[in-house]
Amino acid sequence: VEAFGRSYGLVCTRAASPRLGRHPLAMFGAHPVTPDAVEAGAYAALKSANRIVALLLRDGQAPRRPRGR
């Protein structure tokens, strides 16, 4: 994806775990495509997973799912 004059690799994955609740949780990550698109995809996937792990380690609670329809 092009944004702010640079190319970025974007990743969207889903995580499923009893600690994350009943439904899979969507995770997103982005990383600049420098020097390789494959490397950018790997780093973007790691960044998305790190956000969820950091939330769980910080307060021991799973992130709350938004309410609504």
Side-chain angles (χ1 to χ4, degrees):
V1 125
E2 290 283 330
F4 307 110
R6 295 177 69 182
S7 294
Y8 291 88
L10 297 176
V11 173
C12 174
T13 59
R14 296 185 142 226
S17 167
R19 291 198 61 198
L20 295 175
R22 197 173 201 187
H23 301 287
L25 185 64
M27 303 185 303
F28 302 92
H31 191 78
V33 178
T34 310
D36 184 20
V38 173
E39 188 176 306
Y43 280 125
L46 289 170
K47 286 180 178 181
S48 68
N50 283 344
R51 285 191 194 102
I52 299 302
V53 171
L55 279 173
L56 291 172
L57 291 176
R58 180 176 34 206
D59 57 12
Q61 300 270 335
R64 291 182 54 152
R65 297 188 65 72
R67 297 180 118 193
R69 297 177 190 235

Coordinates of all heavy atoms in Angstrom, one line a residue:
V1 N 0.8 -1.2 0.0 CA 0.0 0.0 0.0 C 0.9 1.2 0.0 O 2.0 1.2 0.6 CB -0.9 -0.1 1.2 CG1 -0.8 1.1 2.1 CG2 -2.3 -0.3 0.9
E2 N 0.5 2.3 -0.7 CA 1.2 3.5 -0.7 C 0.6 4.5 0.3 O -0.7 4.7 0.2 CB 1.2 4.1 -2.1 CG 2.0 3.4 -3.2 CD 3.5 3.7 -3.0 OE1 3.9 4.8 -2.6 OE2 4.2 2.7 -3.4
A3 N 1.4 5.1 1.1 CA 0.9 6.1 2.1 C 2.0 7.0 2.5 O 3.1 6.5 2.7 CB 0.3 5.4 3.3
F4 N 1.7 8.3 2.5 CA 2.7 9.3 2.9 C 4.0 9.2 2.1 O 5.1 9.4 2.5 CB 3.1 9.2 4.4 CG 1.9 9.2 5.3 CD1 1.5 8.0 6.0 CD2 1.1 10.3 5.5 CE1 0.4 8.0 6.8 CE2 0.0 10.4 6.3 CZ -0.3 9.2 7.0
G5 N 3.8 8.9 0.8 CA 4.9 8.8 -0.1 C 5.8 7.6 0.0 O 6.9 7.6 -0.5
R6 N 5.4 6.6 0.8 CA 6.2 5.4 1.0 C 5.3 4.1 0.8 O 4.1 4.2 0.8 CB 6.7 5.3 2.4 CG 7.7 6.4 2.7 CD 8.2 6.4 4.2 NE 9.0 5.2 4.4 CZ 9.5 4.9 5.6 NH1 9.3 5.7 6.6 NH2 10.3 3.9 5.7
S7 N 6.0 3.0 0.5 CA 5.3 1.7 0.4 C 5.3 1.0 1.7 O 6.3 1.0 2.4 CB 5.9 0.9 -0.7 OG 5.8 1.5 -2.0
Y8 N 4.1 0.4 2.1 CA 4.0 -0.3 3.3 C 3.4 -1.7 3.0 O 2.6 -1.9 2.2 CB 3.1 0.4 4.3 CG 3.7 1.6 4.9 CD1 3.5 2.9 4.2 CD2 4.4 1.6 6.0 CE1 4.0 4.0 4.7 CE2 4.9 2.8 6.5 CZ 4.7 4.0 5.9 OH 5.3 5.1 6.4
G9 N 3.9 -2.7 3.8 CA 3.3 -4.0 3.8 C 2.2 -4.0 4.9 O 2.6 -3.7 6.0
L10 N 1.0 -4.5 4.6 CA 0.0 -4.6 5.6 C -0.4 -6.0 5.8 O -0.5 -6.8 4.9 CB -1.3 -3.8 5.2 CG -1.1 -2.3 5.0 CD1 -2.4 -1.7 4.4 CD2 -0.8 -1.6 6.3
V11 N -0.7 -6.4 7.0 CA -1.1 -7.7 7.4 C -2.3 -7.7 8.3 O -2.4 -6.9 9.2 CB 0.1 -8.5 8.1 CG1 -0.4 -9.8 8.6 CG2 1.3 -8.6 7.2
C12 N -3.3 -8.6 8.0 CA -4.4 -8.8 8.8 C -4.5 -10.2 9.2 O -4.5 -11.1 8.3 CB -5.7 -8.3 8.2 SG -7.2 -8.7 9.1
T13 N -4.5 -10.6 10.4 CA -4.6 -12.0 10.9 C -5.7 -12.1 12.0 O -6.2 -11.0 12.4 CB -3.3 -12.5 11.4 OG1 -2.9 -11.7 12.5 CG2 -2.2 -12.5 10.4
R14 N -6.0 -13.3 12.3 CA -7.0 -13.5 13.4 C -6.3 -14.4 14.5 O -5.6 -15.3 14.1 CB -8.2 -14.1 12.9 CG -8.9 -13.2 11.9 CD -10.2 -13.8 11.5 NE -11.1 -12.7 11.4 CZ -12.4 -12.7 11.9 NH1 -12.8 -13.7 12.5 NH2 -13.1 -11.6 11.8
A15 N -6.5 -14.0 15.7 CA -6.0 -14.8 16.8 C -7.2 -15.4 17.6 O -8.2 -14.8 17.8 CB -5.2 -13.9 17.8
A16 N -7.0 -16.7 18.0 CA -8.0 -17.4 18.7 C -7.3 -18.0 19.9 O -6.3 -18.7 19.8 CB -8.7 -18.5 17.9
S17 N -7.9 -17.7 21.1 CA -7.3 -18.3 22.3 C -8.4 -18.1 23.4 O -9.2 -17.2 23.4 CB -6.1 -17.5 22.8 OG -5.7 -17.8 24.1
P18 N -8.5 -19.0 24.4 CA -9.4 -18.9 25.5 C -9.3 -17.6 26.2 O -10.2 -17.0 26.7 CB -9.1 -20.1 26.4 CG -8.5 -21.1 25.5 CD -7.7 -20.3 24.5
R19 N -8.1 -17.1 26.3 CA -7.8 -15.8 27.0 C -8.3 -14.6 26.2 O -8.5 -13.5 26.8 CB -6.4 -15.6 27.3 CG -5.9 -16.6 28.3 CD -4.6 -16.3 29.0 NE -4.7 -15.0 29.7 CZ -3.7 -14.3 30.0 NH1 -2.5 -14.7 29.7 NH2 -3.8 -13.2 30.7
L20 N -8.6 -14.8 24.9 CA -9.0 -13.6 24.1 C -10.5 -13.6 23.9 O -11.1 -12.8 23.2 CB -8.4 -13.7 22.7 CG -6.9 -13.5 22.7 CD1 -6.3 -13.8 21.3 CD2 -6.5 -12.2 23.2
G21 N -11.2 -14.6 24.5 CA -12.7 -14.6 24.4 C -13.2 -15.7 23.5 O -12.4 -16.5 23.0
R22 N -14.4 -15.5 23.2 CA -15.1 -16.6 22.5 C -14.9 -16.5 21.0 O -14.8 -17.6 20.3 CB -16.6 -16.4 22.7 CG -17.4 -17.5 22.4 CD -18.8 -17.1 22.9 NE -19.6 -18.3 23.1 CZ -20.8 -18.4 23.4 NH1 -21.5 -17.2 23.6 NH2 -21.4 -19.5 23.5
H23 N -14.7 -15.4 20.4 CA -14.5 -15.2 19.0 C -13.1 -14.8 18.6 O -12.4 -14.1 19.5 CB -15.5 -14.1 18.5 CG -16.9 -14.4 18.8 ND1 -17.6 -15.3 18.1 CD2 -17.8 -13.9 19.7 CE1 -18.8 -15.4 18.5 NE2 -19.0 -14.5 19.5
P24 N -12.6 -15.1 17.4 CA -11.3 -14.7 17.0 C -11.2 -13.2 17.0 O -12.1 -12.5 16.7 CB -11.1 -15.3 15.6 CG -12.1 -16.4 15.5 CD -13.3 -16.0 16.4
L25 N -10.0 -12.7 17.4 CA -9.7 -11.3 17.4 C -8.9 -10.9 16.2 O -7.9 -11.5 15.9 CB -9.0 -11.0 18.7 CG -8.7 -9.5 19.0 CD1 -10.0 -8.8 19.3 CD2 -7.8 -9.5 20.3
A26 N -9.3 -9.9 15.5 CA -8.6 -9.4 14.3 C -7.3 -8.6 14.8 O -7.4 -7.8 15.7 CB -9.4 -8.5 13.4
M27 N -6.2 -8.9 14.1 CA -5.0 -8.2 14.4 C -4.4 -7.6 13.1 O -4.5 -8.2 12.1 CB -3.9 -9.1 15.0 CG -4.4 -9.9 16.2 SD -3.1 -10.9 16.9 CE -2.6 -12.0 15.6
F28 N -3.9 -6.3 13.2 CA -3.4 -5.6 12.0 C -2.0 -5.2 12.3 O -1.7 -4.8 13.4 CB -4.3 -4.4 11.7 CG -5.7 -4.8 11.5 CD1 -6.6 -4.8 12.5 CD2 -6.1 -5.2 10.2 CE1 -8.0 -5.1 12.3 CE2 -7.4 -5.5 10.0 CZ -8.4 -5.5 11.0
G29 N -1.2 -5.2 11.3 CA 0.2 -4.7 11.4 C 0.7 -4.1 10.1 O 0.2 -4.4 9.0
A30 N 1.6 -3.1 10.2 CA 2.2 -2.5 9.0 C 3.6 -2.3 9.2 O 4.1 -2.0 10.3 CB 1.5 -1.1 8.7
H31 N 4.4 -2.3 8.1 CA 5.8 -2.1 8.1 C 6.3 -1.6 6.8 O 5.8 -2.0 5.8 CB 6.6 -3.4 8.5 CG 8.0 -3.2 8.8 ND1 8.4 -2.7 10.0 CD2 9.1 -3.3 8.1 CE1 9.7 -2.6 10.0 NE2 10.2 -3.0 8.9
P32 N 7.2 -0.6 6.8 CA 7.7 -0.1 5.5 C 8.3 -1.2 4.6 O 9.0 -2.0 5.2 CB 8.7 1.0 5.8 CG 8.4 1.3 7.3 CD 7.8 0.1 7.9
V33 N 8.1 -1.2 3.3 CA 8.7 -2.1 2.4 C 10.1 -1.7 2.1 O 10.4 -1.1 1.1 CB 7.9 -2.3 1.1 CG1 8.5 -3.3 0.2 CG2 6.5 -2.7 1.5
T34 N 11.1 -2.0 3.0 CA 12.5 -1.6 2.8 C 13.3 -2.7 3.4 O 13.2 -2.9 4.6 CB 12.8 -0.3 3.5 OG1 11.9 0.7 3.1 CG2 14.2 0.2 3.1
P35 N 14.1 -3.4 2.8 CA 14.4 -3.4 1.4 C 13.5 -4.4 0.6 O 13.5 -4.5 -0.6 CB 15.9 -3.8 1.3 CG 16.0 -4.7 2.5 CD 15.1 -4.2 3.5
D36 N 12.8 -5.3 1.4 CA 12.1 -6.4 0.7 C 10.7 -6.5 1.2 O 10.4 -6.4 2.4 CB 12.9 -7.7 1.1 CG 12.4 -9.0 0.4 OD1 11.7 -8.8 -0.6 OD2 12.6 -10.1 0.9
A37 N 9.8 -6.8 0.3 CA 8.3 -6.9 0.6 C 8.1 -8.1 1.5 O 7.2 -8.0 2.4 CB 7.5 -7.0 -0.7
V38 N 8.8 -9.2 1.3 CA 8.6 -10.4 2.2 C 9.0 -10.1 3.6 O 8.3 -10.4 4.6 CB 9.4 -11.6 1.6 CG1 9.3 -12.8 2.6 CG2 8.8 -12.0 0.3
E39 N 10.1 -9.4 3.8 CA 10.6 -9.0 5.1 C 9.6 -8.1 5.8 O 9.3 -8.2 6.9 CB 11.9 -8.4 5.0 CG 12.6 -8.1 6.3 CD 14.0 -7.5 6.1 OE1 14.8 -8.2 5.4 OE2 14.3 -6.5 6.6
A40 N 9.0 -7.1 5.0 CA 8.1 -6.2 5.5 C 6.8 -6.9 6.0 O 6.2 -6.6 7.0 CB 7.7 -5.2 4.5
G41 N 6.4 -7.9 5.3 CA 5.2 -8.7 5.7 C 5.4 -9.5 7.0 O 4.6 -9.5 7.8
A42 N 6.6 -10.0 7.1 CA 7.0 -10.8 8.3 C 7.0 -9.8 9.5 O 6.5 -10.1 10.6 CB 8.3 -11.5 8.2
Y43 N 7.6 -8.7 9.4 CA 7.7 -7.7 10.5 C 6.3 -7.2 10.8 O 6.0 -7.0 12.0 CB 8.6 -6.5 10.1 CG 10.1 -6.8 10.3 CD1 11.0 -6.6 9.3 CD2 10.5 -7.3 11.5 CE1 12.3 -6.9 9.5 CE2 11.9 -7.6 11.7 CZ 12.8 -7.4 10.7 OH 14.1 -7.6 10.9
A44 N 5.4 -6.9 9.8 CA 4.1 -6.5 10.1 C 3.3 -7.5 10.8 O 2.5 -7.2 11.8 CB 3.4 -6.1 8.7
A45 N 3.5 -8.8 10.5 CA 2.8 -9.9 11.2 C 3.2 -9.9 12.7 O 2.4 -10.1 13.6 CB 3.0 -11.2 10.5
L46 N 4.5 -9.8 12.9 CA 5.1 -9.8 14.3 C 4.6 -8.6 15.1 O 4.3 -8.7 16.3 CB 6.6 -9.8 14.2 CG 7.2 -11.1 13.8 CD1 8.7 -10.9 13.5 CD2 7.0 -12.2 14.8
K47 N 4.5 -7.4 14.4 CA 4.0 -6.3 15.2 C 2.5 -6.4 15.6 O 2.2 -6.0 16.7 CB 4.1 -5.0 14.3 CG 5.5 -4.5 14.1 CD 5.6 -3.3 13.2 CE 7.0 -2.7 13.1 NZ 7.0 -1.5 12.3
S48 N 1.7 -7.1 14.7 CA 0.3 -7.3 15.1 C 0.2 -8.2 16.3 O -0.6 -8.0 17.2 CB -0.5 -7.7 13.9 OG -0.1 -9.1 13.5
A49 N 1.0 -9.3 16.3 CA 1.0 -10.2 17.4 C 1.5 -9.6 18.7 O 1.0 -9.9 19.8 CB 1.7 -11.5 17.0
N50 N 2.5 -8.8 18.6 CA 3.1 -8.2 19.7 C 2.1 -7.3 20.5 O 2.2 -7.1 21.7 CB 4.4 -7.4 19.4 CG 5.6 -8.3 19.1 OD1 5.6 -9.4 19.5 ND2 6.6 -7.7 18.5
R51 N 1.2 -6.6 19.7 CA 0.3 -5.7 20.4 C -0.7 -6.5 21.3 O -1.0 -6.1 22.4 CB -0.6 -5.0 19.3 CG 0.2 -3.9 18.6 CD -0.8 -3.1 17.8 NE 0.0 -2.2 16.9 CZ 0.2 -2.5 15.6 NH1 -0.4 -3.5 15.1 NH2 0.9 -1.7 14.9
I52 N -1.1 -7.7 20.8 CA -2.0 -8.5 21.6 C -1.3 -9.1 22.8 O -1.8 -9.1 24.0 CB -2.6 -9.7 20.8 CG1 -3.4 -9.1 19.6 CG2 -3.4 -10.6 21.6 CD1 -4.6 -8.2 20.0
V53 N -0.1 -9.6 22.6 CA 0.7 -10.1 23.7 C 1.0 -9.0 24.8 O 0.9 -9.3 26.0 CB 2.0 -10.7 23.2 CG1 3.0 -11.1 24.4 CG2 1.7 -12.0 22.4
A54 N 1.3 -7.8 24.3 CA 1.6 -6.7 25.3 C 0.4 -6.4 26.1 O 0.5 -6.2 27.3 CB 2.1 -5.5 24.5
L55 N -0.8 -6.4 25.5 CA -2.0 -6.1 26.2 C -2.3 -7.2 27.3 O -2.6 -6.9 28.4 CB -3.2 -6.1 25.3 CG -3.5 -4.8 24.5 CD1 -4.6 -5.0 23.5 CD2 -3.8 -3.7 25.4
L56 N -2.1 -8.4 26.9 CA -2.3 -9.5 27.9 C -1.3 -9.5 29.0 O -1.6 -9.8 30.2 CB -2.3 -10.9 27.2 CG -3.5 -11.1 26.2 CD1 -3.2 -12.4 25.4 CD2 -4.8 -11.2 27.0
L57 N -0.1 -9.1 28.7 CA 1.0 -9.1 29.8 C 0.9 -7.9 30.7 O 1.2 -7.9 31.8 CB 2.4 -9.2 29.1 CG 2.7 -10.5 28.5 CD1 4.1 -10.3 27.8 CD2 2.7 -11.6 29.5
R58 N 0.4 -6.8 30.1 CA 0.3 -5.5 30.9 C -0.6 -5.6 32.0 O -0.3 -5.3 33.2 CB -0.1 -4.4 30.0 CG -0.2 -3.1 30.7 CD -0.5 -1.9 29.8 NE -1.4 -2.3 28.7 CZ -1.4 -1.7 27.6 NH1 -0.6 -0.6 27.3 NH2 -2.2 -2.0 26.6
D59 N -1.9 -6.1 31.8 CA -2.8 -6.1 32.9 C -3.5 -7.4 33.2 O -4.3 -7.6 34.0 CB -3.9 -5.1 32.7 CG -4.7 -5.3 31.3 OD1 -4.5 -6.3 30.7 OD2 -5.4 -4.3 31.0
G60 N -3.0 -8.5 32.4 CA -3.6 -9.8 32.7 C -5.0 -10.0 32.2 O -5.5 -11.1 32.4
Q61 N -5.6 -9.0 31.6 CA -7.0 -9.1 31.1 C -7.0 -9.2 29.6 O -6.2 -8.5 28.9 CB -7.8 -7.9 31.5 CG -7.8 -7.7 33.0 CD -9.0 -8.4 33.6 OE1 -10.0 -8.6 33.0 NE2 -8.9 -8.7 34.9
A62 N -7.9 -9.9 29.1 CA -8.1 -10.0 27.6 C -8.7 -8.7 27.1 O -9.4 -8.0 27.9 CB -9.0 -11.1 27.2
P63 N -8.3 -8.2 25.9 CA -9.0 -6.9 25.4 C -10.5 -7.1 25.3 O -10.9 -8.2 24.9 CB -8.3 -6.7 24.1 CG -7.5 -7.9 23.8 CD -7.4 -8.7 25.0
R64 N -11.2 -6.1 25.7 CA -12.7 -6.2 25.6 C -13.1 -6.0 24.1 O -12.6 -5.2 23.4 CB -13.3 -5.1 26.4 CG -13.1 -5.4 27.9 CD -13.7 -4.3 28.7 NE -15.1 -4.3 28.3 CZ -16.1 -3.9 29.1 NH1 -15.8 -3.5 30.3 NH2 -17.4 -3.9 28.7
R65 N -14.1 -6.8 23.8 CA -14.7 -6.7 22.4 C -15.7 -5.5 22.4 O -16.4 -5.4 23.4 CB -15.4 -8.0 22.0 CG -14.3 -9.1 22.0 CD -14.9 -10.3 21.4 NE -15.3 -10.3 20.0 CZ -14.5 -10.2 18.9 NH1 -13.2 -10.1 19.1 NH2 -15.0 -10.2 17.7
P66 N -15.8 -4.8 21.4 CA -16.8 -3.7 21.3 C -18.2 -4.3 21.4 O -18.5 -5.3 20.8 CB -16.5 -3.0 20.0 CG -15.7 -3.9 19.2 CD -15.0 -4.9 20.2
R67 N -19.1 -3.6 22.0 CA -20.5 -4.0 22.1 C -21.2 -3.4 20.9 O -20.9 -2.3 20.4 CB -21.1 -3.5 23.4 CG -20.4 -4.2 24.6 CD -21.1 -3.7 25.8 NE -21.6 -4.9 26.5 CZ -22.5 -4.8 27.5 NH1 -22.9 -3.7 27.9 NH2 -22.9 -5.9 28.0
G68 N -22.3 -4.0 20.5 CA -23.1 -3.5 19.5 C -23.4 -4.6 18.4 O -23.0 -5.7 18.6
R69 N -24.0 -4.2 17.4 CA -24.4 -5.1 16.4 C -23.6 -5.1 15.2 O -23.0 -4.2 14.8 CB -25.9 -4.8 15.9 CG -26.8 -5.0 17.1 CD -28.2 -4.7 16.7 NE -29.0 -4.6 17.9 CZ -30.1 -5.3 18.1 NH1 -30.5 -6.1 17.1 NH2 -30.8 -5.2 19.2

